[in-house]
Amino acid sequence: MKEVIFEDLGIIPYKQAWDYQRQVFEQLIDDKKNNPGRKKQYLLFCQHNHVFTLGKSGKVQNLLITEQLCKNRGIEYFAIERGGDITYHGPQQLVAYPIIDLEAFDCGIKNYISQLEDVVIRVLNRYDIQGEKDEKAMGVWMDAANPAKARKICAIGVKSSRFVTMHGFALNVNTDLSYYNFINPCGFVDRGVTSMEKELGRKVDFAEVSEITKQAFTDIFGMQFTR
């Protein structure tokens, strides 16, 4: 088991969480180089206010409204350093940011992303939702092999440096999916999005999903939480 500090940041503006992530990320990299005995690793959970984020390889054309219209609708917009294209974050979406040293977990970046998908799939299984992987697209999907029905329930975007990670995944729990109408989610124009609420036809206990997700990180990654 690997010791990891867990923090639930609650509902937090994206920029505030992003700044905190970078602070922890840079400290972990510095500790790894200069003070490995003090190396602290983190798992952050949170929800964000309405925001679109564009990954470093994303295309701004996948934002289908102007930045001014975003502001008018109370939606923030940030171009950030993670992988992936554009996505949406908002209330009742569980966002997980592991800030960990992959070498301590004996894990490469490709396997790390696969394990993040495993965490989400395990959570969904608890609700009898059949989440799936797609070899051609990161994240967790429903009916991934059927182009007419394929829909994403969880987006993944990660940055790593010296095998230290930041950013993570966003699982749609009771998310307002109408905001996805303003983007091509993750750059796709031929696939939909969904949520646990939509798949089950009912609201889901968000706190319960958070606890199950935390346990899934323990099961998949061997994390032992200290907070």
Side-chain angles (χ1 to χ4, degrees), residues 47-195:
Q47 301 174 61
H48 292 306
N49 302 316
H50 303 297
V51 61
F52 296 132
T53 66
L54 181 70
K56 60 183 180 180
S57 59
K59 296 179 180 179
V60 70
Q61 298 96 317
N62 287 319
L63 175 63
L64 303 180
I65 59 175
T66 65
E67 291 185 46
Q68 185 58 51
L69 278 175
C70 284
K71 290 178 183 177
N72 293 347
R73 293 175 177 270
I75 308 168
E76 294 187 293
Y77 170 77
F78 295 99
I80 59 174
E81 70 274 72
R82 64 159 170 79
D85 207 291
I86 197 165
T87 195
Y88 162 77
H89 298 305
Q92 290 292 300
Q93 180 192 68
L94 177 59
V95 180
Y97 295 134
I99 306 174
I100 60 175
D101 177 10
L102 295 181
E103 290 185 317
F105 286 82
D106 193 27
C107 183
I109 187 67
K110 185 176 180 180
N111 191 46
Y112 169 65
I113 290 170
S114 180
Q115 287 182 312
L116 289 179
E117 292 167 338
D118 289 338
V119 166
V120 175
I121 288 169
R122 181 169 293 217
V123 173
L124 296 174
N125 283 345
R126 288 285 298 271
Y127 293 87
D128 294 323
I129 299 173
Q130 187 64 47
E132 301 171 352
K133 300 182 185 184
D134 186 329
E135 292 180 0
K136 299 178 182 178
M138 284 191 300
V140 178
W141 298 82
M142 318 293 298
D143 293 312
N146 186 336
K149 293 184 178 180
R151 57 209 184 275
K152 180 176 277 191
I153 196 167
C154 178
I156 293 178
V158 172
K159 171 184 169 63
S160 69
S161 177
R162 294 181 180 268
F163 289 98
V164 175
T165 68
M166 65 180 288
H167 300 292
F169 69 68
L171 172 62
N172 290 336
V173 182
N174 303 308
T175 313
D176 183 347
L177 300 178
S178 68
Y179 285 86
Y180 287 98
N181 294 330
F182 302 129
I183 61 174
N184 291 325
C186 302
F188 289 100
V189 297
D190 58 346
R191 295 186 176 196
V193 291
T194 190
S195 66

